Amino acid sequence: MTGLRQAFARGFGGLRGPLVAVTLVAFCLRALRLEWQPLWWDEGYSVFFATEPLAKMLALTAQDIHPPLYYALLHLWTLLLGSARPGVIRLLSVYAGVPAVPLLGVLAYMLTRRRGVAVLAACLLALNPLHVYYSQEVRMYSLALLLGLASTYALVKLAAALDAGAPVRGKWVAWIVFNALLLYTLYYAAFLVVAQFIWLGIGLRRKPSALLALLAATGAMALLCLPWWLFAVPKLAAYVSDKVQSDQDVSLGPLAYSVRHLLAFSIGQMRLDNLALPARAFAYVGVIAALPALLTLRKAARRHPQGPSAINDAPSLLWTLVLVPSLLAFLLNLRFPFFPEGGERLLLFVLPYYLLLISLGIFNLRSRSLWRPALLTPLLAAGVVGLAAFFTVPRYVEDDYRPIIAQVMQQGGDDDSVLALFPWQVGYWRAYSPMQIDGRLLSPQPAPVGQGALVWSSPMQDAIDAALRRGVLWFPEPVSLGSTLPAQIEAYLQDAALNVENRWHGAATRLTA
């Protein structure tokens, strides 16, 4: 915060009004219709993790594809507000997403000294459908983007201090801490840290003492993360191997990989086949319009001969922060072909630097050139189309558990039981179940389950028999996941109990009792 105040005091206080206005717009967009869309599987996992005791949550997330910081913050958030309702837990992502908008504007001005670039970059992020999407989702991506921007801000301050020969100890500490927090939020964000290390290392190549300091800082960052890595990496390796084998995803080639990310950065996380033809055209035009703006940066400013000053060579820093993480993520996709629908979210932290490059490219054009509005109009139009689709097109309709839980809560009793096979189903119940006056969730509630693959077993049969002796057993059967276990359970229940309910909710779930 001190750095931000100093930056305003040094002469770009004129940004205060525009950035405040853009930030208010960003907040309104991200806080709009928080409870309209149903939770989906990954959000259900987040609720499940966050509503478990912290010690158990750490053990569970060691077997997950993401580290524990976001889940721990969400755990504290639910305790603070006393609820895990979707509107409450999604608000945490809103509060992580909104500050990124003014922070990008401040970073843009620090790098370019041009108010127009700073305001445009902040506007593009505020209106970006992909960022709005993940500033509402109950996942860690908006937090990772914010922490990545904060670490980049610390990097720029550090580079400027190294160039000027000013004290740098506090700036090293800030860079280390922000990146350590980032690594505890998203594993893929390590690619951003690598990009920062490469850029700073090249700039310091003629300063041996500063290079040693860079290595020491990187070592300190690794030491801060080492306890978690030692605990989680063995479990994570087994999880990733099983996930790749079970999902059978196909690795993407360079063209498909690039196009998917560029489209997502333009129009957001929307399936194009769900959009009308004109909307699809806007998506592609938005991507195409960004390319000429990026090409204006081919004549980047010459690197400062005395050090790594980002202010003297903003394009090289921004290109490094975009291309290095993208390339490393692409190579990982070739080795471990795990790229589900919406997988572009894993590189959301690259988005602000991409938008800043576009903003800088547009302002590199002559002020009276018609190219500026010609490029900016389709970029903004693609964003507006993406936002309109985001707020009007229903998602996850076949996986909406709200009617299922409402029926069970209405017809079930305290002696009834719910059989949940996956943690995300437990998360759904904890998010959607009514709360009693004493703060407890209304019965019946599914028992917590582990993350391992479930198979029919004697303990499962004993648990089902015990539930049937107590009362009604409700079974939301996920029939679209390809597992044989639901059919095995149904076959057993046909012989062991009397069926009192059999209703399909969409094509993905059948509720039996």
Side-chain angles (χ1 to χ4, degrees):
M1 293 302 295
T2 301
L4 293 178
R5 287 195 297 268
Q6 290 174 346
F8 279 119
R10 282 199 301 270
F12 64 108
L15 276 177
R16 187 189 303 269
L19 286 186
V20 168
V22 174
T23 302
L24 288 174
V25 171
F27 176 78
C28 292
L29 287 173
R30 285 152 182 78
L32 185 64
R33 307 193 80 179
L34 283 181
E35 296 207 30
W36 178 52
Q37 301 285 7
L39 298 173
W40 75 291
W41 298 343
D42 282 9
E43 291 181 297
Y45 272 109
S46 295
V47 178
F48 172 70
F49 290 150
T51 51
E52 289 293 296
L54 278 177
K56 185 177 180 182
M57 181 272 291
L58 290 174
L60 288 169
T61 53
Q63 307 170 54
D64 186 51
I65 199 68
H66 298 296
L69 179 60
Y70 170 78
Y71 300 125
L73 292 176
L74 188 61
H75 174 86
L76 298 176
W77 183 260
T78 58
L79 290 180
L80 176 66
L81 299 182
S83 173
R85 296 291 301 177
V88 172
I89 53 180
R90 283 174 171 162
L91 200 57
L92 179 61
S93 295
V94 172
Y95 288 142
V98 171
V101 172
L103 182 54
L104 178 60
V106 171
L107 178 65
Y109 185 80
M110 288 178 60
L111 290 172
T112 67
R113 301 302 182 190
R114 300 166 77 173
R115 290 187 177 90
V117 173
V119 173
L120 178 57
C123 285
L124 290 179
L125 185 60
L127 300 175
N128 185 267
L130 191 67
H131 191 241
V132 173
Y133 188 113
Y134 288 107
S135 294
Q136 287 197 351
E137 187 166 277
V138 191
R139 299 296 282 169
M140 66 294 299
Y141 304 110
S142 66
L143 177 62
L145 184 147
L146 177 63
L147 290 172
L149 272 176
S151 74
T152 303
Y153 174 83
L155 176 75
V156 173
K157 298 285 289 183
L158 172 63
L162 288 169
D163 278 358
V168 293
R169 179 177 300 177
K171 295 174 177 60
W172 279 118
V173 171
W175 186 62
I176 292 168
V177 170
F178 279 126
N179 275 330
L181 293 173
L182 181 60
L183 293 173
Y184 272 104
T185 303
L186 184 70
Y187 289 124
Y188 266 67
F191 299 149
L192 182 67
V193 180
V194 171
Q196 293 178 352
F197 178 87
I198 290 172
W199 180 82
L200 193 57
I202 292 174
L204 297 175
R205 62 191 182 278
R206 295 191 180 95
K207 294 186 174 183
S209 60
L211 269 177
L212 288 176
L214 173 60
L215 293 174
T218 306
M221 199 185 303
L223 284 175
L224 288 174
C225 299
L226 185 61
W228 176 253
W229 291 344
L230 291 176
F231 175 63
V233 165
K235 303 178 181 65
L236 179 64
Y239 174 85
V240 170
S241 178
D242 292 342
K243 188 74 172 173
V244 170
Q245 184 175 1
S246 62
D247 288 4
Q248 294 293 306
D249 288 330
V250 178
S251 59
L252 299 179
L255 180 60
Y257 194 88
S258 301
V259 169
R260 283 186 58 164
H261 282 83
L262 290 173
L263 285 172
F265 286 1
S266 168
I267 203 169
Q269 200 71 80
M270 296 297 300
R271 291 184 56 176
L272 293 184
D273 54 4
N274 288 340
L275 302 178
L277 184 59
R280 294 186 221 176
F282 272 115
Y284 286 102
V285 170
V287 170
I288 294 170
L291 300 181
L294 296 174
L295 290 175
T296 66
L297 301 174
R298 64 190 184 280
K299 296 180 179 179
R302 181 174 60 88
R303 180 173 295 280
H304 193 283
Q306 300 300 321
S309 174
I311 293 171
N312 286 299
D313 193 8
S316 76
L317 172 62
L318 296 173
W319 278 119
T320 302
L321 297 181
V322 169
L323 294 180
V324 171
S326 301
L327 176 61
L328 293 176
F330 169 71
L331 295 176
L332 186 63
N333 144 80
L334 296 180
R335 176 62 181 86
F336 296 102
F338 172 61
F339 201 90
E341 183 177 342
E344 299 84 11
R345 59 184 177 262
L346 295 169
L347 285 179
L348 181 69
F349 58 85
V350 168
L351 176 65
Y353 314 112
Y354 172 75
L355 297 178
L356 182 46
L357 277 171
I358 292 174
S359 302
L360 183 57
I362 287 176
F363 272 85
N364 276 355
L365 298 167
R366 288 179 297 176
S367 60
R368 296 185 179 180
S369 169
L370 293 178
W371 276 105
R372 279 192 181 182
L375 296 180
L376 190 55
T377 299
L379 286 172
L380 294 176
V384 170
V385 168
L387 287 175
F390 175 76
F391 287 117
T392 59
V393 177
R395 300 188 300 275
Y396 320 121
V397 176
E398 296 295 330
D399 301 306
D400 189 351
Y401 262 60
R402 287 175 292 189
I404 298 173
I405 295 172
Q407 179 181 347
V408 175
M409 292 296 109
Q410 182 180 25
Q411 299 178 2
D414 290 342
D415 294 328
D416 291 359
S417 304
V418 176
L419 175 59
L421 300 183
F422 299 98
W424 49 266
Q425 293 177 299
V426 180
Y428 288 168
W429 242 268
R430 293 175 180 176
Y432 289 131
S433 297
M435 295 184 68
Q436 303 181 67
I437 297 177
D438 59 6
R440 292 182 302 166
L441 294 172
L442 187 66
S443 296
Q445 289 289 319
V449 293
Q451 278 193 274
L454 295 175
V455 295
W456 180 259
S457 62
S458 296
M460 179 177 290
Q461 179 177 327
D462 294 341
I464 290 174
D465 290 340
L468 291 173
R469 287 194 294 270
R470 288 192 302 269
V472 175
L473 176 64
W474 298 86
F475 180 33
E477 180 185 351
V479 297
S480 63
L481 298 181
S483 172
T484 60
L485 180 58
Q488 292 176 291
I489 294 174
E490 285 292 352
Y492 178 77
L493 289 173
Q494 286 179 3
D495 296 331
L498 175 66
N499 181 262
V500 295
E501 179 63 82
N502 190 334
R503 177 181 298 183
W504 283 89
H505 289 266
T509 308
R510 183 175 65 165
L511 177 65
T512 62

